[in-house]
């Protein structure tokens, strides 16, 4: 018998079992993908294939033909500009649609804005690795948000709708003890926070606690005043918001046109020339816009009917600031000439203050937000609005402007008259049940004497209501 031939491998043959032919691309790529296997070799088995050659071998022919080209810087800016423009018009259309649809829709938008803004601000200070080990951290954030909104919304509802809340048997206990209930809800969250403290996480937990309260004050408390502005009259919501928006636009136009001097280091693109130019143009815009809004009672009347809209309108006795009044002016250069008289609504003077605040102070809300983002090294607060970033990026100046509008209105413009809700509140809290019956009896008798109701009403009430025991 002949001896079996030994397996002899020649240098021109590979050791992969494919004798007499070169390995295909797919076989080579399979060899590359095997973990722990040596790299592919050239025909002589000595030199390794470079990374570029290996990558080219792993690509399929279709990939080589249809490889997408990277976007240039110009194409990226163009795409961002188009997206930003589209969503700008979407937001403007939604804003005006909600405003004309009624006060309740504006209140819904403000509520959604403050919830999303709170979420964005809380998120930038969150540390996922820490939060994962502390499951109640996020739950406490949302609990404090809910407690704060319950307190603030309850205050507004009780103040503006006393005539509804205080006469309802179910709502009356919640209305009369609203502040105590809100305080106890907060105390429960505070106790739960202290009980959830864990060793090794104290700094993170107290930082989150402080950060949450800062966000509640800067966002939710100020949003509460924006809602009150809406209930006082649509003009007190729309005018401050539009002044901030137009001032931002005017500052951009003036800045790119003749801006030279940097205004503040936090925002390198802001210029002194754009800042001052926007101030002047915002005053002119406010003067013209106020002249238009004052003509419609839908804008100047308080929201005594949440079911109303722009087409149904509202009815009220206008605040005197919206009515033209006579003013006398003595020209300083014509002291010997008679004084000149002109008629103008006082609101036209108030708008100078509103426009100045929107131009000179409100932008610092945006600078504050810029500093906050630089602290946490983020470009935007979120991605809620494509092309614009987060909701907070668009509302940073609106919060402080709405707060100012409420304080200014309550201090210099609002009229404090006796209201039905105020009288009912005084009677409920200051009179006994017998005294309240006497008030009803006396009012009925007065209305009968004025001819507003028939005598049968008085006789019916006199027979039903018990007499006061003396």
């Amino acid at each position: 018998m002949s001896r079996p031939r030994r397996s002899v491998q020649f240098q021109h043959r590979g050791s992969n079992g494919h004798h007499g032919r070169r390995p295909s691309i797919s076989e080579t790529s399979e060899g590359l993908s095997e973990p722990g296997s040596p790299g592919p070799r050239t025909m002589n088995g000595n030199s390794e294939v470079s990374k570029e050659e290996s990558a080219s071998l792993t690509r399929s022919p279709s990939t080589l033909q249809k490889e997408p080209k990277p976007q240039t810087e110009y194409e990226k800016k163009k795409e961002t500009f188009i997206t930003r423009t589209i969503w700008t018009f979407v937001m403007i259309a939604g804003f005006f649609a909600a405003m004309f649809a009624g006060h309740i829709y504006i209140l819904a938008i403000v509520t959604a804005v403050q919830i999303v803004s709170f979420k964005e601000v809380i998120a930038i200070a969150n540390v996922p690795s820490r939060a994962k080990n502390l499951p109640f951290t996020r739950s406490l954030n949302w609990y404090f948000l809910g407690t704060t909104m319950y307190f603030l919304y309850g205050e507004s509802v009780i103040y503006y709708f006393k005539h509804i809340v205080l006469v309802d048997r179910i709502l009356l206990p919640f209305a009369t003890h609203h502040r105590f209930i809100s305080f106890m809800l907060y105390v429960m969250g505070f106790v739960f926070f202290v009980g959830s403290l864990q060793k090794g996480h104290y700094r993170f937990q107290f930082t989150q606690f402080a950060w949450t309260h800062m966000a509640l004050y800067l966002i939710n408390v100020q949003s509460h005043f924006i809602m009150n502005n809406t209930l006082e009259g649509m003009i007190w919501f729309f005018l401050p918001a539009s002044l901030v928006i137009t001032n931002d636009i005017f500052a951009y136009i003036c800045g790119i046109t003749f801006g030279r001097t940097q205004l503040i280091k936090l925002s390198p693109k802001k210029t002194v020339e754009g800042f001052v130019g926007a101030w002047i143009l915002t005053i002119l815009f406010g003067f013209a816009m106020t002249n238009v809004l004052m003509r419609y009672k839908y804008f100047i009347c308080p929201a005594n009917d949440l079911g109303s809209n722009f087409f149904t309108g509202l009815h009220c006795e206008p605040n005197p600031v919206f009515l033209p009044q006579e003013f006398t002016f003595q020209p300083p250069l014509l002291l010997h000439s008679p004084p000149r008289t002109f008629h103008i609504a006082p609101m036209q003077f108030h708008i100078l203050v509103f426009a100045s605040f929107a131009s000179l102070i409100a932008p610092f809300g945006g600078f504050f937000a810029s500093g906050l983002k630089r602290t946490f090294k983020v470009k935007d607060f979120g991605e809620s609005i494509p092309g614009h970033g987060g909701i907070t990026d668009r509302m940073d100046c609106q919060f402080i402007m709405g707060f100012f509008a409420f304080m200014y209105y309550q201090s210099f413009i609002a009229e404090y008259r006796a209201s039905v809700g105020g009288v009912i509140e005084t009677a409920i809290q200051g009179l006994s049940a017998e005294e309240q019956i006497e008030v009803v009896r006396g009012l009925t008798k007065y209305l009968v004497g004025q001819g507003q109701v028939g005598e049968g009403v008085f006789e019916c009430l006199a027979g039903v209501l018990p007499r006061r025991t003396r």
Side-chain angles (χ1 to χ4, degrees), residues 53-287:
E53 292 172 345
S54 300
S56 63
L57 291 174
T58 58
R59 295 173 187 166
S60 62
S62 59
T63 305
L64 294 173
Q65 295 176 0
K66 300 180 180 179
E67 182 179 356
K69 295 182 180 179
Q71 283 185 322
T72 62
E73 191 67 23
Y74 171 77
E75 291 174 340
K76 292 180 180 178
K77 290 183 177 180
K78 181 180 178 181
E79 183 179 355
T80 302
F81 176 78
I82 294 174
T83 304
R84 187 183 182 96
T85 302
I86 292 174
W87 277 95
T88 297
F89 284 107
V90 169
M91 288 189 294
I92 292 175
F95 175 78
F96 279 98
M99 185 175 63
F100 290 129
H103 298 75
I104 190 68
Y105 296 95
I106 293 295
L107 298 180
I109 289 178
V110 174
T111 302
V113 165
Q114 63 177 305
I115 293 175
V116 176
S117 296
F118 177 82
K119 176 179 177 294
E120 292 175 347
V121 172
I122 289 297
I124 66 172
N126 189 33
V127 181
S129 59
R130 291 283 188 89
K132 186 177 180 180
N133 298 327
L134 302 169
F136 296 111
T137 300
R138 295 188 63 182
S139 301
L140 278 172
N141 291 339
W142 290 105
Y143 176 82
F144 282 122
L145 172 65
T147 301
T148 304
M149 293 183 65
Y150 171 79
F151 170 71
L152 296 175
Y153 277 64
E155 289 288 308
S156 297
V157 170
I158 294 171
Y159 181 81
Y160 290 102
F161 303 100
K162 295 176 183 177
H163 58 287
I164 298 176
V165 176
L166 296 179
V167 298
D168 189 274
R169 178 178 297 181
I170 298 176
L171 297 178
L172 180 59
F174 292 96
T176 54
H177 304 98
H178 171 70
R179 294 180 180 178
F180 180 77
I181 295 173
S182 301
F183 174 74
M184 292 308 299
L185 288 174
Y186 176 81
V187 168
M188 289 170 58
F190 175 78
V191 171
F192 190 82
F193 164 75
V194 175
S196 65
L197 292 174
Q198 295 185 16
K199 187 177 180 179
H201 300 282
Y202 293 152
R203 182 183 295 273
F204 172 75
Q205 288 181 290
F206 277 103
T207 301
Q208 288 292 309
F209 184 80
W211 185 257
T212 300
H213 283 70
M214 187 201 74
L216 290 173
Y217 172 73
L218 293 178
I219 296 174
N220 300 95
V221 173
Q222 295 187 114
S223 298
H224 163 69
F225 294 109
I226 295 177
M227 297 182 66
N228 288 353
N229 292 339
T230 306
L231 295 173
E232 291 287 355
M234 188 66 76
I235 190 173
W236 306 115
F237 164 79
F238 175 72
L239 202 56
S242 61
L243 288 174
V244 170
I245 295 172
T246 53
N247 177 260
D248 190 35
I249 296 173
F250 291 145
Y252 174 77
I253 295 175
C254 294
I256 63 174
T257 303
F258 48 81
R260 295 293 183 272
T261 310
Q262 184 179 358
L263 176 65
I264 188 170
K265 292 183 179 180
L266 280 173
S267 296
K269 296 182 180 180
K270 301 290 184 181
T271 62
V272 175
E273 293 80 4
F275 194 70
V276 176
W279 177 27
I280 298 172
L281 294 177
T282 303
I283 290 176
L284 297 177
F285 169 82
F287 192 87

Side-chain angles (χ1 to χ4, degrees), residues 441-455 458:
R441 195 189 304 276
L443 284 175
T444 306
K445 188 175 181 179
Y446 169 78
L447 293 174
V448 170
Q450 297 295 319
Q452 299 295 323
V453 296
E455 293 184 2
F458 178 75

Side-chain angles (χ1 to χ4, degrees), residues 98-103 105 298 305-314:
M99 185 175 63
F100 290 129
H103 298 75
Y105 296 95
Y298 176 73
D305 181 10
L306 291 179
S308 62
N309 54 52
F310 179 77
F311 303 100
T312 60
L314 290 170

Side-chain angles (χ1 to χ4, degrees), residues 235-236 239 286-287 290-291 294 318-327 342-354 408 412-415:
I235 190 173
W236 306 115
L239 202 56
F287 192 87
T290 303
N291 191 39
M294 288 191 305
N319 190 304
V321 297
F322 299 118
L323 303 177
Q325 299 181 15
E326 183 178 309
F327 292 89
F342 62 97
H343 292 78
I344 190 173
M347 184 60 194
Q348 299 287 22
F349 297 113
H350 291 296
I351 196 60
L352 300 178
V353 182
F354 277 79
Y408 187 89
F412 302 105
I413 300 176
E415 286 189 306

Side-chain angles (χ1 to χ4, degrees), residues 367-383:
F367 301 151
F368 177 84
S370 298
L372 204 60
K373 289 185 287 187
R374 289 177 184 272
T375 301
F376 291 95
K377 299 179 181 180
V378 294
K379 181 180 179 182
D380 298 311
F381 281 100
E383 299 178 353

